[in-house]
Amino acid sequence: MITVLKAPPFATVQDLGRIGHLHAAVPRAGALDPFALIVANLMVGNSRDAAAIEWGVAGGEVRFERDAIIALSGATAAATLGGRPLAEDRAQRARAGDSLTIERIQTGAWVYLAVDGGIDVPPVLGSRATYLPARFGGFEGRLLRTGDRLPLGRAAPTAVPQKQPPVGWRTDKTDAPIALLPGPDRGLLAAPAWDWLLGTEFRVSRAVSRMGYRLEAPPLALTLPGDRLSAPACPGTVQLPPGGEPIVLMPDGPTVGGYLRIAVVPTTELGRLAQCTPGERVRFQIIELSEARARLRRQEELLHRLAQSA
């Protein structure tokens, strides 16, 4: 078990999400930063899609009730294990009774805590991911609370894996533009509006959630097409409401929508956007589909190297 001694303001159990249910209006859910989740899991010897804790907003404390191998990934945090500073991006052994304290999140928004064996909550529709709007999956379909006891899967009887992410796995250029692909409604957007999207420096709004990130900017001085019939949408879809403030759909976002789907944030970039905090500046840059695929291949190569490291 893991006992939550002091729940952070926002923490859920997440894996890579549930696949194959969009036709039934069930979103994927899962980690906001899937790459960081996979890195944490591989460091402790788990499968890629093992369930972990997605931890955000502020600090908190948990206690391990059995010996465990643990790792933190994603946002950087000031953390201690058994009162000792906890190194980032490195698997470490926690003894039964040790407490992990995250004092604060320093850069980024979401920390992933992986434990060998994974968080062993019951799967729902093939996934242990929490889907908050419908209150299912994860731990009772809700945010973690102080006093919760999370079951752990069977731990492998091994020493601490000496796995560390390869050099260059983090994207340290936080001011680098977020890549975009043209969306299915790109043709309905006039050229000046498209230029506005690519030339504007947006700020991440406080109105962010696991459903979507709203981006603030000076008003768009153009008339946009009104709402249309609902059409399919996926995580990464950039919707443009009539008010002109883009909304980027996240893993808990709707499977259909009526706003213009002007662009899509590629898989490799969506985690970068998710790690942006309210008030942080964001710019966009259009890329070709071939470049998006190349970035995905490079990311997979980094994960393969981590999985194969001794």
Side-chain angles (χ1 to χ4, degrees):
M1 291 281 183
I2 295 177
T3 300
V4 181
L5 300 180
K6 180 184 177 183
F10 201 106
T12 56
V13 175
Q14 298 294 344
D15 58 17
L16 293 180
R18 45 190 57 86
I19 306 300
H21 302 285
L22 294 180
H23 67 286
V26 178
R28 188 194 77 199
L32 285 161
D33 187 348
F35 183 65
L37 172 74
I38 295 172
V39 167
N41 273 323
L42 292 180
M43 281 194 289
V44 301
N46 287 344
S47 64
R48 286 182 171 209
D49 61 348
I53 296 177
E54 182 179 81
W55 182 315
V57 183
E61 184 177 7
V62 299
R63 183 177 65 227
F64 303 97
E65 308 298 353
R66 68 154 167 86
D67 290 357
I69 299 169
I70 70 169
L72 296 180
S73 184
T76 60
T80 60
L81 176 63
R84 303 177 302 278
L86 181 67
E88 295 177 339
D89 302 335
R90 184 187 299 272
Q92 298 188 51
R93 181 174 292 282
R95 300 295 181 184
D98 279 352
S99 293
L100 166 69
T101 302
I102 292 182
E103 297 173 1
R104 65 187 181 280
I105 296 177
Q106 296 169 309
T107 59
W110 303 100
V111 175
Y112 292 87
L113 168 60
V115 183
D116 62 330
I119 309 297
D120 193 23
V121 292
V124 177
L125 297 177
S127 168
R128 293 180 168 86
T130 308
Y131 179 47
L132 291 172
R135 297 185 63 82
F136 67 75
F139 189 79
E140 300 179 356
R142 60 170 171 80
L143 298 177
L144 299 182
R145 301 171 186 161
T146 298
D148 285 343
R149 290 170 61 84
L150 308 181
L152 295 176
R154 186 182 298 276
T158 61
V160 177
Q162 297 302 308
K163 293 185 177 181
Q164 292 179 250
V167 174
W169 84 271
R170 285 187 181 273
T171 303
D172 294 325
K173 296 179 180 179
T174 54
D175 58 345
I178 301 291
L180 284 181
L181 295 168
D185 297 331
R186 162 68 180 90
L188 300 177
L189 201 65
W194 185 252
D195 293 341
W196 168 85
L197 176 69
L198 299 180
T200 297
E201 182 176 80
F202 296 93
R203 286 182 180 271
V204 177
S205 167
R206 291 194 175 276
V208 298
S209 71
R210 284 186 46 83
M211 294 186 70
Y213 275 33
R214 183 181 291 273
L215 305 177
E216 299 172 341
L220 177 60
L222 292 170
T223 300
L224 297 172
D227 290 358
R228 302 159 58 245
L229 292 175
S230 291
C234 64
T237 299
V238 182
Q239 296 182 325
L240 190 60
E245 290 189 338
I247 300 170
V248 184
L249 297 186
M250 291 299 183
D252 284 1
T255 59
V256 296
Y259 295 143
L260 290 178
R261 303 161 300 166
I262 57 173
V264 179
V265 178
T267 300
T268 55
E269 299 286 295
L270 196 55
R272 283 188 57 213
L273 179 61
Q275 291 288 4
C276 293
T277 55
E280 195 165 339
R281 294 179 175 85
V282 172
R283 299 185 69 90
F284 292 114
Q285 178 184 48
I286 196 71
I287 63 172
E288 298 291 335
L289 182 58
S290 59
E291 172 60 19
R293 288 171 172 163
R295 292 185 183 193
L296 186 59
R297 285 194 297 271
R298 289 195 292 270
Q299 191 178 86
E300 285 297 318
E301 289 169 0
L302 285 173
L303 293 173
H304 178 74
R305 285 162 53 194
L306 174 57
Q308 297 301 313
S309 63

